[in-house]
Structure formats: C-alpha cells, structure tokens
Amino acid sequence: MILFSLKKRLSLPITSWQLCLLASIGGALSAMLIVGFTMATTALQELYLSEKDNYNSISELSRFLLPIFGAIVILLVSWITGYKYLRTGIPFVLHRLKVAHGVIPLRNTIHQFIGSAIALASGFSVGREGPAIHLGAAFSGYLGSFLKLPHNSIRTLSACGIAAAISASFNTPVAAVIFVMEVILREYKVHIFIPIMMASLVGSMITTSVLGPAHEFEYFQTIVLELEHFPVLILFAIAIGVLSFGFNKYLVATIKHSEKYHIVSRLMLAALITSLLSYVVPQALGTNFGAIDFSISDNPSLFFLLGLLIAKLIMTISALGLGIPGGAIGPILGIGAIAGSCTAVFIQSYYPDVYLTSDFALMGMAGMMAATLNAPLAALITVVELSNQLEVIMPAMIIIGTSCIVSGQFLGNRSLFVMQLEIQNLIYRKPPLEKSLQRVGVLGVMNENFEIINQLSEQQKIEHLSQLEEKHFLLEQVNDDESTSGVYYSIHNEVTESSESHTNNQADNSIKLTQQLLLPLHAQATLMEVYSLLEKKRKGAVYIYGDNMDDVLGIITFAQVRRFLVEGNIN
C-alpha cells in the first residue's frame, strides 16, 4: 500500500520529497559507480605510467602498441557483450530518454564501463564524461525499473543520475544541473529541477569524501583579462566558432562514411591513427587533462602548440568517429584550451608584461564547448566552477556569445549530439503534445470509482447503473477463451430526457445500456500511451492494471485526456 501510494504521487508532475529522496539515492549509486570507474581507469594507467596521463614516461614502442592493444581488448568486450549493444555515450542516452523513458539495456552499460575504461587507459583521445552520463542514467533508471515506478518518474531519475555522474566526475555540481536541463532534457520544470539539483549535490559530496575536494583543473591562474584585451578576445571567439564548425562537420562525416565498415576494421584504424600520432606528439594522447596542463605550464613554442592542436583534432575525430567508446566533451575542452594557448603565444609580443596563456586557454574551453554543443549557459557555468573565479564571467560571455553566433548563424552549425543522433537515425525529438502527456503517469489521474460484475442479466445491470453515482463505472468481465485473463467492458447508461418526468419504473425502462471494450494498459504507463491507444477513434477508455491484467486499478477515458490537453486538468 505504501509503495502504491508512492507510485501515485510520483505519477503527477509536482514537486515531492519522495522523488527528491529517490533522486538522492539514485544519485548516490550513480556517483559511487563513477568513482569506481575513475579509480579503475587510474589503476589501469598506474600499471605502465609513472604519472597520470603522462605518456612521455613510456617508450615510443610502448606508446605505439598501447592503443592497438586497447582496441583489441575493446573488441573482445564487444564480442562478449554482443555487437548490437555497442551504442553508448550521450547521443544514445538522449535517444533512450525519448523512446524508453531513460531505461538502458544492461549489456550496453557493461560495454560502456569496461570499454571506456580500456579506451581511456589506452591513450585514446576520448573523454570520461560520456561514460559517466551513460552509467549515471543507467543505474538511476535501473532503480526506478526495479521499483516499477511510473515511466515519467523513471525518466526524471535517469536525468538525476546524469547530473550526479557529471558532478562526481568533475566536482562541478552547478554545471552538472545546468548541463542536464540545457543539453539533456532541454526544458525547465521545477518538479524536475529540484530532484536533479539534489542528485548533483549528492554526487559532488561523494566525490569530495572519496577523492578529495579538489578537481583536476585547479592549475588555472587568477584571470587578468581587461577591456584592452577584448578586441583580441572577439577575434579569437570568431576563430573558435569556425573551429567548432569544422570539428562537428568532420566528426559527423567520419561517423557517416565509416558505418559501412565492420567494427573490427574501424577500431583498428582508430588505434593505428592514434599510435602513429603518438610518435610525433605524445602529449595529445589520453584525455584533455594532460594536453591542457602541458599547453599552459611548459611554455611550448607556437609551432609545437599548432602541431598539438592538429594532432588532438585528428585523434579525437578518428577515435569518436570510428567507434571508440568515450565522451566528446573532455577532448572538446582540451582542443579549446590548446587553441587558446596558441592565441596567447601569438599575441604575447603585444602584451609582454601580462601572462595570458591561462586566461585564453580557459576562454577557449568556454567557447569551444558552447559552440560545439550549442550549450552556452552550461559552458559558462563550467568555466566558472573549474576556475573558481567569478571574474571569468564577463570575458566568457563575450567569447561564448560571439563563437555561438559565428558557428550557428553564419556557418549553420548545430549541437554535436543532435547531429550524431540524426546521422545514426536515432529518434530524439517528440512533438509538444507527446512531451506534455509523457509528464503525467496514469496512476495519478485514473478513476478508481468502478465496480466489476460477472454474468448479470440486463435488468440487474440496469439496477446497478441506477445506483451508481456520477463518474462511477460499471465493468463487466467476460472470459476470453484464448487467454487466462478476462476481457473487460465498460457499461454506460443513456437516459432519455423524458425519463425525468416518468415514474421510477418507467425511468428504469428508459435506460439504454451501451457497452464498449476497455483496452488494457500497465500502471507504469503515461497519458501518452492512453492517447496512442485511443486517438484513432478519439473515444473510448482504457483500464489500468497492476501485476497482472486481472488486477484492475482504475479507468481513464479519452475525454479525460482531451480535457487535460485543453484545460490542463484531467478531473
């Protein structure tokens, strides 16, 4: 009874402490999984690296063989889990949120955990936020599925798991919330925002307690950009807009043209490209952290930074485009930082008394993330939290706004995730009507005033109808020879206008029995499923069942759904 009341509460699109509690629990599970994923990746690197992401510490032959060996292990994992479960990462999560309420197949999740850990440890230029988002959404979704919660609340829990995973990965709780609302859900509702915020907070707390309070971007110095630097900053933003357009274009083209080849050929080609480039530019190996640290702190030449930027672009496009499991945001931040360092070295002769490398690297990260993902607010909050400086807001807004305008309006660039979804033929859009109906579960709005009858005469049915109050239903169960479950019909009464002036006996005779088949629908469903079943006839009703189809819980008519769409009220 308590669980049923909880499900009814969660079916409604309203703020509830119950959903916040479940979001915190799911967020904690997701965060602990991400901490375990991070520790597993670090442990693998410690087997052959003296320092995290420092691939200069191993020989050239080892650097060459490492990605190839990693690709072979990833292929082995793919063969074990099944090749049809290869889809992973943020685009796949966006797709599952639309078509399956955020529930992700377990084999995809296993492949994501093991395959991404191997890819990150093998030096491929992929990020860990893609696996984190996948794993966070999956485990919070599994919690909702285990409890058999309504689909609308499972979707919210999956979003909460994503926020907790991002927060646990980078220790940026505010940026995690904004990213989920702006990029993942692309909508703002208070009843969703609050549990997502709680889950993100829990994720950050778990990371802090296990891995410490610091994040991996604390080498940024206090920002010194002033008004005199803004013209150069605007020119840099234009360049970042062009760079983000090129990155998206060639990555999507690689995905499109490589689909006709088998996964073995694709992954081995990605490994070979990474291995060859590691000979020349070992700093481009791995996630973005090593490349950012090197470009800021080691005072490299402009020529070498340009080589590092090109190598990072090729490594990232080949790895992600050819199917190496991992995320795109980490490399995008790294590419932006390297581009910023190149700009800072180039203009250093004009500003010899000011060290601008750290500032332009940070601005490059903001502009590249905003223009590539079409997520300006998430990019702004990200660089604020990563740098721990509010002074970064004004220059970051300039570069984010300029780069997004150049990339989007003048070059026609769109979100990388949307482009990936389209090229892979994955559904990611729903019409407004469907989105509205998916927010409401059937348990919260069904009519529970009904009576089930069996094998009654017509006169007995009339007597039952005359005793029922308004909005009460009379259901007749008819045995179905083809199944063990019964078939339910709703019985209505139609009284003529003249019946009110007749005697009771005459009124009874004026009752006209009508009967319509009730379609079964599981209690986890939303109003969208009700609409889908009844929209052709635009009338009728469904009955909601629990553990089995004879466990009738309530009735929902098409008139109720129509009333919700028109008035926003189903009662």
Side-chain angles (χ1 to χ4, degrees), residues 30 39 45 63 79 114-115 158 179 264 338 351 406 454 534:
S30 300
M39 295 174 69
Q45 286 189 332
R63 286 201 305 267
W79 176 73
I114 302 176
S158 295
F179 181 85
V264 175
I338 298 169
Y351 303 99
V406 171
N454 291 291
L534 305 177

Side-chain angles (χ1 to χ4, degrees), residues 279-432:
Y279 251 23
V280 184
V281 192
Q283 292 82 1
L285 283 171
T287 59
N288 55 302
F289 308 129
I292 294 175
D293 191 15
F294 173 80
S295 64
I296 292 176
S297 60
D298 286 6
N299 297 318
S301 64
L302 178 61
F303 177 79
F304 188 84
L305 282 174
L306 289 173
L308 177 61
L309 177 62
I310 295 172
K312 194 68 175 175
L313 283 167
I314 296 174
M315 280 187 179
T316 304
I317 291 173
S318 61
L320 295 175
L322 295 174
I324 297 294
I329 299 178
I332 286 170
L333 293 175
I335 291 169
I338 298 169
S341 299
C342 290
T343 304
V345 173
F346 179 75
I347 66 172
Q348 195 65 49
S349 58
Y350 298 96
Y351 303 99
D353 300 329
V354 184
Y355 177 76
L356 297 174
T357 304
S358 175
D359 293 3
F360 271 87
L362 194 61
M363 294 302 102
M365 292 167 63
M368 193 70 184
M369 179 178 175
T372 305
L373 306 182
N374 194 22
L377 184 56
L380 176 62
I381 301 301
T382 297
V383 294
V384 170
E385 285 197 289
L386 291 178
S387 63
N388 291 322
Q389 301 178 67
L390 292 177
E391 294 80 8
V392 78
I393 293 178
M394 182 180 293
M397 290 175 69
I398 292 174
I399 193 166
I400 287 172
T402 305
S403 62
C404 285
I405 290 173
V406 171
S407 177
Q409 181 174 349
F410 295 104
L411 299 177
N413 194 25
R414 293 182 298 157
S415 169
L416 174 62
F417 301 141
V418 171
M419 296 171 71
Q420 285 180 291
L421 286 164
E422 290 179 350
I423 203 66
Q424 295 172 0
N425 295 319
L426 296 176
I427 297 173
Y428 71 98
R429 284 180 176 171
K430 295 288 185 179

Side-chain angles (χ1 to χ4, degrees), residues 3 72 79 92 175 179 223 234 262 281 284 287 311-312 450 487 546:
L3 184 58
I72 294 173
W79 176 73
F92 181 68
F179 181 85
I223 192 166
I234 293 174
H262 194 271
V281 192
T287 59
K312 194 68 175 175
F450 63 90
V487 177

Side-chain angles (χ1 to χ4, degrees), residues 10 26 48 71 78 90 225 230 248 276 292 316 319 326 374 378 382 421 431 442 465 473 501 524 533 539:
L10 297 182
Y48 48 84
S78 303
I90 299 176
L225 284 172
F230 284 7
N248 283 8
L276 292 174
I292 294 175
T316 304
N374 194 22
T382 297
L421 286 164
V442 294
L465 287 174
F473 290 87
S501 60
Q524 287 183 284
L533 290 174
K539 63 180 181 179

Side-chain angles (χ1 to χ4, degrees), residues 474-487:
L474 183 62
L475 307 185
E476 181 178 22
Q477 183 180 25
V478 181
N479 291 329
D480 186 358
D481 295 334
E482 296 181 0
S483 66
T484 58
S485 300
V487 177

Side-chain angles (χ1 to χ4, degrees), residues 110-253:
I110 293 173
H111 174 71
Q112 178 73 96
F113 187 99
I114 302 176
S116 297
I118 298 298
L120 290 167
S122 301
F124 286 103
S125 183
V126 295
R128 70 186 187 195
E129 77 294 326
I133 288 173
H134 183 125
L135 297 173
F139 265 67
S140 288
Y142 295 155
L143 173 63
S145 298
F146 175 77
L147 297 175
K148 296 183 179 180
L149 298 180
H151 288 152
N152 61 316
S153 58
I154 293 178
R155 178 175 178 266
T156 302
L157 284 179
S158 295
C160 293
I162 293 172
I166 298 174
S167 183
S169 295
F170 300 104
N171 200 10
T172 53
V174 180
V177 174
I178 300 300
F179 181 85
V180 171
M181 305 303 291
E182 185 177 32
V183 178
I184 303 298
L185 297 179
R186 291 190 289 180
E187 63 176 344
Y188 175 86
K189 299 294 180 182
V190 174
H191 72 279
I192 299 176
F193 179 84
I194 294 177
I196 287 176
M197 182 176 62
M198 298 299 295
S200 180
L201 176 62
V202 170
S204 180
M205 292 172 61
I206 290 178
T207 298
T208 301
S209 62
V210 177
L211 303 178
H215 51 65
E216 300 190 40
F217 293 93
E218 290 197 334
Y219 38 70
F220 289 111
Q221 299 181 7
T222 303
I223 192 166
V224 295
L225 284 172
E226 298 180 356
L227 290 176
E228 61 178 307
H229 304 127
F230 284 7
V232 178
L233 193 62
I234 293 174
L235 294 176
F236 175 55
I238 294 173
I240 285 292
V242 175
L243 182 63
S244 65
F245 165 74
F247 177 82
N248 283 8
K249 177 182 178 180
Y250 287 106
L251 176 54
V252 172

